[in-house]
Amino acid sequence: MVCLACFSSAQADDALMQQVHQFLYQQTQPLGEEVVIDVRPPSPHLPPCVQPEPFLPNAGQSPLGRVSVGVRCGETHQQVRYLQAQIDVIGNYWVAQHDINRGTLITPDMLVEQSGNLGKLSSQALTNEEEIVGKVAQRQIRSGSTFLTHFLQTPSVVERGQRVMVIAQGNAFRVSREGEVLESGGVGDQVRVRFDTREIVTARINEQGILVVDF
């Protein structure tokens, strides 16, 4: 006798895995030319996932290597479960062409491009040239090493203790005040500024070295 419920559940699981596979393929397409995705089947003890909606729990992180994929289930998507997947992407990445000393500003001639399985790189590895060039080495980087996030830092535009102009702006107003920076930072960083009134605010550093508070 055929188990109709089992057959229906297997169909639902197949549809779920296809949905997750397609989602991961879309996420990884920009990373390389060849993508291999292996999604582990869901637990047989769980009920079927109706109207699955996959998502990545760690937003902003490249889906490479062993990853966890969240799936919202049900018409209201209130039920959440997680599937495991292995993602291998063959693509290009950058390594140091020679030893780079601490404090060095990274320029394009210090990089050499290589091809390989991006899934075997550290989750902190930077694979895009624009994420590397223009940064300052925080430690010595050996020849042939990949560039990791904590190896590099955006060059400081303002220094701790420096007097700077702070602009507070909104839809209908723009006010400027002078204050003292409490921490060094580069373009795009959020730093604290203290005014003569002892008031402290957090402001964003723009390309001109001016601190901006958006409302």
Side-chain angles (χ1 to χ4, degrees):
M1 182 176 180
V2 178
C3 176
L4 296 180
C6 296
F7 181 73
S8 177
S9 178
Q11 279 188 318
D13 287 347
D14 287 343
L16 170 62
M17 291 179 64
Q18 280 188 346
Q19 189 91 354
V20 171
H21 191 282
Q22 182 179 4
F23 168 76
L24 291 175
Y25 184 76
Q26 292 172 346
Q27 296 292 315
T28 53
Q29 267 298 285
L31 300 179
E33 300 175 357
E34 181 182 345
V35 180
V36 179
I37 301 173
D38 180 23
V39 181
R40 292 186 181 180
S43 170
H45 304 294
L46 295 174
C49 180
V50 180
Q51 299 182 10
E53 184 182 275
F55 67 95
L56 292 174
N58 299 320
Q61 183 175 350
S62 297
L64 289 169
R66 186 175 299 176
V67 299
S68 178
V69 185
V71 183
R72 299 183 181 92
C73 306
E75 294 182 0
T76 59
H77 292 139
Q78 290 183 343
Q79 304 171 24
V80 178
R81 65 181 59 175
Y82 295 90
L83 274 66
Q84 302 301 312
Q86 176 67 36
I87 304 175
D88 294 321
V89 178
I90 305 303
N92 297 328
Y93 60 97
W94 300 89
V95 300
Q97 185 162 237
H98 50 73
D99 290 351
I100 299 174
N101 293 326
R102 179 181 179 182
T104 302
L105 180 70
I106 308 297
T107 56
D109 61 299
M110 298 178 184
L111 279 59
V112 62
E113 193 172 25
Q114 292 191 353
S115 178
N117 185 353
L118 304 183
K120 293 187 179 298
L121 300 179
S122 166
S123 61
Q124 300 296 315
L126 301 172
T127 57
N128 296 323
E129 184 179 16
E130 56 268 23
E131 296 177 311
I132 303 169
V133 173
K135 301 291 181 66
V136 175
Q138 287 290 93
R139 49 165 291 173
Q140 185 179 38
I141 302 173
R142 295 292 186 184
S143 175
S145 298
T146 53
F147 293 88
L148 305 185
T149 302
H150 61 277
F151 284 6
L152 307 175
Q153 184 181 39
T154 303
S156 293
V157 175
V158 297
E159 301 291 339
R160 180 179 178 181
Q162 181 179 338
R163 301 291 295 184
V164 296
M165 186 61 65
V166 181
I167 297 176
Q169 59 187 16
N171 292 331
F173 70 92
R174 180 184 173 94
V175 180
S176 60
R177 298 170 63 185
E178 189 179 68
E180 178 187 353
V181 180
L182 298 181
E183 51 208 341
S184 302
V187 174
D189 288 344
Q190 299 278 344
V191 296
R192 292 175 302 142
V193 185
R194 179 171 58 206
F195 298 113
D196 294 336
T197 58
R198 314 305 292 178
E199 175 189 1
I200 295 177
V201 300
T202 299
R204 171 177 51 85
I205 305 172
N206 69 11
E207 291 78 4
Q208 291 75 40
I210 297 175
L211 278 69
V212 179
V213 180
D214 297 311
F215 289 91

